[in-house]
Amino acid sequence: FGAKGIDACLALMEGQTRLQSISACNNGISASAAEQLVGLLLKPAAADGSVPQTIKRFHFHNNMSGDGGGKAIAQMLANPQMACLT
């Protein structure tokens, strides 16, 4: 997966206004790829910022992100919609 996998998903994920759950487990995501993924997931769903991100559940375990990836993922806790982060 990594950065190349996240790049491949950009077109699919950008502009999603109803995306509520993502599971990115066992994908070998590095710290830099975790930062990239979090940036994408925290980005407003509408280009003009009028539609906030709708992610409520994010499952991210058994990756290779280390402390840097953990710090990046922790940013998602600021999302008031987040109900489950594992």
Side-chain angles (χ1 to χ4, degrees):
F1 197 139
K4 288 182 183 180
I6 293 168
D7 286 341
C9 294
L10 284 176
L12 174 68
M13 294 176 67
E14 284 187 334
Q16 291 291 326
T17 59
R18 296 183 180 170
L19 187 62
Q20 294 186 4
S21 181
I22 292 194
S23 179
C25 305
N26 300 311
N27 289 308
I29 296 174
S30 66
S32 62
E35 290 174 14
Q36 182 183 6
L37 180 59
V38 168
L40 176 63
L41 295 177
L42 292 180
K43 184 177 177 181
D48 64 1
S50 63
V51 180
Q53 191 50 259
T54 57
I55 298 291
K56 293 180 181 179
R57 289 175 297 282
F58 183 61
H59 300 281
F60 182 86
H61 59 271
N62 291 339
N63 282 290
M64 301 171 13
S65 58
D67 291 345
K71 288 177 185 175
I73 298 300
Q75 294 176 55
M76 295 187 70
L77 294 172
N79 178 355
Q81 298 289 330
M82 187 62 63
C84 180
L85 178 64
T86 60

